[in-house]
Amino acid sequence: MTRNLATQLEQRLPSERLELIRAAGELARELGAGLYLVGGVVRDLLLGRATFDLDLVVEGDAPRLANLLAERREGQVVIHRRFGTAKLRCQDLSIDLATARAETYAHPGALPTVSPGSINDDLLRRDFTINAMAIHLDPDNFGKLVDPFGGEKDLEHKLIRILHEKSFVDDATRMLRAIRYEQRFDFQLETTAEQLLRRDLSMLHTVSGDRVRHELELILKEEQPEKPLQRAGELGLLQEIHPSLKGDGWLKEKFPQARSVTYPPPLGLYFSLLVYHLSQKEGEDFIARLRIPGVTARAIRDSLRLKENLPPLTSPDLSPSATYRLLQDYSPTSILACAIASDSSLLHQRLHLYLNKLRYIKTSLNGKALQQLGIPPGPRLGEILRSLHEARLDKKVKTREEEVELVRLWLSQGA
Ligand code: ATP
Ligand code: MG
């Protein structure tokens, strides 16, 4: 008997969403197109988990359906003709519509060759059985489950199963996706899938840096990324990204600490901890392999550089200004990463002193004010400003008046 999820849809989807997909289903019928809810939302509905993204697949012209729906409901659409996809926004609701498609891979790691297809073709190109289910939205079949690969049974048995033997070869990012879902839901990679994953580990090299980074970022956005990372370490998958990476117990200790300091942690912080035990050279290889962009790359670079320059920060009686000088060239994220990574409480204290206080301390007098005190522009002015800043950091001066007094003293001494 075909499973019908109409009741679940009615009970679990907020009413505006339900109403919108019903209207879409009616419009699709008028156009003679099939319409389905697909992917994560179906899985989450069956799991009884909250879900936010509504992904629809159209057997027919998705951009056309999206345009008509937008006209009727005063929504806005963004169309990607080339991909046959559309994003529709109605009030504060957003849904993605895609034309059902069949995919073939010219060679491992290639982007797929795409042609229009049926819902079954569209499900066949997906990653795992639990993500390869759909729900009919046309009014006559509303709520009927389409489950050609036994996704519902695998949900019950808590299994991550691939659809065919070449799945990881076609698209090796699925290996990272597999462990992400496995650990998020507390499932198990099905035995054959695990064997194939181990067999196909090296296929990760066929995938572009951008795509590997994207999947790694999705892992880092999970609630407890240390779990899939540890699993990736055990399976040898992390080592395929860089041979020196480890997803070991250290991350299990440090990632929760990162979350307790700042939530959600910036990606740069997680990335810096992930690569913390790499050398600077290895860090550069990691950044290049994943094509890690600007701010995150800087956090990683600074963390690995600061890690090697920590010893002077543990010397006794380090003044605030000396602490400042040792840290001023590093990004705050990298300083936080080193504080979390380090087990020395003195170091901890100093890094946090810089992050919470010292980096915000400014002098009251600026260059212009110093000129008004009679110091001509030039290198000497810069030096006096720096010395004044140090005096302020070390609490030798606390007010503007005290700064003026100190500058006058220096001038009288021929500074
Ligand atoms: P999440 O809760 O993580 O967002 P999701 O299932 O919505 O889960 P997305 O990454 O948003 O995951 O992708 C949407 C759907 O697209 C998936 O359910 C899956 O069917 C399909 N998909 C995504 N990436 C791949 C891939 N690399 N190979 C095959 N199918 C994929
Ligand atoms: Mg999603």
Side-chain angles (χ1 to χ4, degrees), residues 39-40 43-44 53 55 125-127 131-132 171 173-174 177 180-181 184 211 215 218 222:
R43 174 199 71 214
D44 291 342
D53 300 337
D55 287 315
R125 72 181 175 82
R126 290 173 186 262
D127 45 8
N131 286 344
D171 180 353
T173 62
R174 291 173 185 160
R177 297 178 62 81
R180 178 160 65 88
Y181 292 117
R184 182 200 294 175
R211 296 192 61 225
E215 288 301 332
L218 288 179
E222 291 287 311

Side-chain angles (χ1 to χ4, degrees), residues 15-57:
S15 57
E16 346 56 274
R17 285 170 185 241
L18 182 66
E19 206 253 316
L20 183 61
I21 59 169
R22 272 194 195 281
E26 278 159 25
L27 187 58
R29 182 168 64 177
E30 286 173 35
L31 298 176
L35 185 69
Y36 306 83
L37 202 55
V38 286
V41 56
V42 181
R43 174 199 71 214
D44 291 342
L45 207 62
L46 286 165
L47 281 174
R49 286 172 78 106
T51 192
F52 300 100
D53 300 337
L54 288 185
D55 287 315
L56 304 188
V57 162

Side-chain angles (χ1 to χ4, degrees), residues 207-225:
V207 179
S208 73
D210 286 330
R211 296 192 61 225
V212 177
R213 185 187 69 249
H214 176 69
E215 288 301 332
L216 203 52
E217 286 175 359
L218 288 179
I219 286 182
L220 294 177
K221 286 176 187 161
E222 291 287 311
E223 254 165 63
Q224 295 177 284

Side-chain angles (χ1 to χ4, degrees), residues 55-94:
D55 287 315
L56 304 188
V57 162
V58 187
E59 282 175 327
D61 188 345
R64 177 154 178 249
L65 178 66
N67 273 327
L68 286 172
L69 204 57
E71 266 173 38
R72 287 204 189 169
R73 308 185 61 97
E74 293 177 12
Q76 289 132 7
V77 244
V78 179
I79 304 268
H80 294 283
R81 265 278 151 217
R82 205 155 64 86
F83 300 108
T85 61
K87 195 179 223 9
L88 172 67
R89 237 177 261 284
C90 289
Q91 279 113 35
D92 50 355
L93 286 185
S94 150

Side-chain angles (χ1 to χ4, degrees), residues 137-304:
L137 295 181
D138 73 90
D140 296 332
N141 294 295
F142 190 83
K144 275 191 194 160
L145 183 67
V146 185
D147 180 13
F149 307 104
E152 190 181 14
K153 208 158 104 243
D154 284 338
L155 278 180
E156 267 163 41
H157 294 132
K158 298 174 172 279
L159 289 173
I160 307 293
R161 187 193 305 270
I162 47 180
L163 306 191
H164 56 87
E165 206 220 343
K166 271 184 66 216
S167 185
F168 294 134
V169 176
D170 282 347
D171 180 353
T173 62
R174 291 173 185 160
M175 298 194 274
L176 289 163
R177 297 178 62 81
I179 54 162
R180 178 160 65 88
Y181 292 117
E182 183 197 52
Q183 298 300 311
R184 182 200 294 175
F185 298 132
D186 220 353
F187 280 20
Q188 275 279 303
L189 261 177
E190 176 272 337
T191 316
T192 311
E194 180 167 337
Q195 280 165 1
L196 292 171
L197 186 146
R198 290 181 190 275
R199 182 196 74 182
D200 295 336
L201 279 176
S202 66
M203 287 294 149
L204 206 61
H205 293 287
T206 65
V207 179
S208 73
D210 286 330
R211 296 192 61 225
V212 177
R213 185 187 69 249
H214 176 69
E215 288 301 332
L216 203 52
E217 286 175 359
L218 288 179
I219 286 182
L220 294 177
K221 286 176 187 161
E222 291 287 311
E223 254 165 63
Q224 295 177 284
E226 60 275 19
K227 288 168 68 180
L229 289 175
Q230 179 159 26
R231 180 76 159 127
E234 285 160 8
L235 288 165
L237 193 49
L238 272 187
Q239 294 81 337
E240 289 295 326
I241 298 176
H242 192 286
S244 302
L245 285 179
K246 292 196 189 76
D248 56 9
W250 193 81
L251 289 184
K252 276 226 142 110
E253 185 189 327
K254 299 301 178 181
F255 270 37
Q257 283 180 24
R259 290 194 291 276
S260 70
V261 182
T262 167
Y263 193 84
L267 279 180
L269 183 60
Y270 271 156
F271 266 120
S272 298
L273 291 170
L274 176 63
V275 303
Y276 194 75
H277 293 104
L278 268 53
S279 69
Q280 292 190 51
K281 163 79 178 66
E282 290 171 328
E284 287 305 324
D285 296 341
F286 179 84
I287 289 169
R289 166 67 180 112
L290 297 191
R291 289 165 44 89
I292 295 187
V295 184
T296 308
R298 161 133 204 247
I300 294 174
R301 285 196 179 104
D302 282 1
S303 300
L304 298 183

